[in-house]
Amino acid sequence: MDETAPHAAPDAALVARLRAAGCVFAEEEAALLEAAVAEGGGGTDPPGGAGAALERLAARRVAGEPLEQILGWAGFGGHRILIEPGVFVPRRRTELRAEAATRFARAVAADGRTPVVVDLCCGAGAVGVVMADAAGPVDLVEADLDPAAVRAARRNLEPLVGRVFEGDLFEALPADLRGRVDVLAANAPYVPTGEIPMMPPEARDHEALLALDGGGDGLDLHRRIAASAAEWLAPGGRLLIETGRRQAPITRALVEAGGMAASIASDLERGGTIVVGTAPGALDS
């Protein structure tokens, strides 16, 4: 579980109930549900007092609803990311992409420029929140096709001066960004259509299908991003696409076919894999 989990010992009966429902981190989840009731969060203000509120939250979790959607937030990179029902929950593996994007943005800032950063398929804006905190001043633009994700991203990012647009990949972006983007990050869906029914119920039943379904081989959106990214990137700009380990060689080939040098980076502990593309004109780094 995330480091934001409280440390007080939760009710043993609640822990047992969650564990029986298949919750691997039952103790941490029970403590978080109890904390949500104590804080008045997680959508809890029903009649019957705290006990009834906790029962409602516990019942939703036992029924398979993602804990993060029940709480209204997800832990990511040391931050609380506000989310809404139906919105894609940021995964810990995505921290690899956030860290890489931050590193590249810092390198641009070290040259005395404000880095221009775009996060496509941004979901609730978790990567942008991390970058706004860790990379220093950035010109941050986020985009997603899911209206609920856009609402959540705006809640998270507009207080940090991030701009969030609704639309389909590059079509959502302001035209004046073309050729100016220093870091282009993307978490386009990459689950093959035929594998959606095999996903955990938390995802397939409670997250938007358009945030999961990547087409026949899972790489439909990767093809579109790789084909157009170079025209949006500044000279030497970086493209970071999150992908699956077995799909990574194909994603890398797509990025190379789009006119960029490409490499694969993985984090086995967190289960993250990204393909990093570099637009022509890069200095040695």
Side-chain angles (χ1 to χ4, degrees), residues 189-192 214-224 243-244 247-248 250-251 254:
Y190 53 88
V191 179
D217 64 354
L219 300 177
D220 284 0
L221 273 74
H222 288 194
R223 291 184 176 88
R224 294 175 56 197
T243 189
Q247 297 159 306
I250 303 174
T251 301
L254 293 171

Side-chain angles (χ1 to χ4, degrees), residues 15-260:
V15 172
R17 183 178 176 191
L18 294 174
R19 186 171 289 121
C23 300
V24 176
F25 300 101
E27 290 190 4
E28 292 90 338
E29 293 197 14
L32 284 165
L33 292 175
E34 291 175 347
V37 172
E39 295 169 5
T44 63
D45 191 20
L54 182 58
E55 170 57 30
R56 284 168 170 77
L57 297 189
R60 290 169 62 188
R61 183 65 184 119
V62 168
E65 189 172 344
L67 176 70
E68 295 84 358
Q69 291 182 7
I70 296 170
L71 298 175
W73 60 270
F76 182 85
H79 298 269
R80 282 194 177 193
I81 308 300
L82 302 177
I83 60 173
E84 300 184 12
V87 172
F88 183 83
V89 176
R91 276 47 163 180
R92 188 163 179 253
R93 60 176 175 263
T94 301
E95 291 176 357
L96 173 65
R97 182 167 57 95
E99 292 163 1
T102 298
R103 185 169 65 253
F104 292 133
R106 284 175 172 168
V108 172
D111 287 336
R113 295 192 295 112
T114 298
V116 177
V117 177
V118 170
D119 187 18
L120 293 178
C121 306
C122 67
V127 169
V129 170
V130 169
M131 294 194 69
D133 178 61
V138 295
D139 183 357
L140 178 64
V141 175
E142 308 253 330
D144 203 288
L145 186 59
D146 179 14
V150 170
R151 287 195 302 270
R154 285 175 175 160
R155 291 173 64 202
N156 285 306
L157 290 165
E158 287 184 345
L160 305 174
V161 199
R163 294 180 287 163
V164 184
F165 297 92
E166 181 179 336
D168 186 16
L169 298 181
F170 298 102
E171 295 176 8
L173 302 181
D176 63 0
L177 291 179
R178 193 181 300 268
R180 297 180 47 235
V181 179
D182 296 299
V183 181
L184 174 59
N187 190 17
Y190 53 88
V191 179
T193 302
E195 296 182 13
I196 297 292
M198 295 177 280
M199 294 187 71
E202 288 182 344
R204 70 169 189 258
D205 295 339
H206 296 281
E207 294 178 330
L209 182 62
L210 59 82
L212 304 173
D213 192 345
D217 64 354
L219 300 177
D220 284 0
L221 273 74
H222 288 194
R223 291 184 176 88
R224 294 175 56 197
I225 293 169
S228 299
E231 63 186 86
W232 289 87
L233 289 170
R238 309 282 188 158
L239 168 66
L240 294 86
I241 302 182
E242 187 166 325
T243 189
R245 287 187 65 193
R246 62 184 171 85
Q247 297 159 306
I250 303 174
T251 301
R252 179 177 60 189
L254 293 171
V255 172
E256 291 171 342
M260 291 165 278

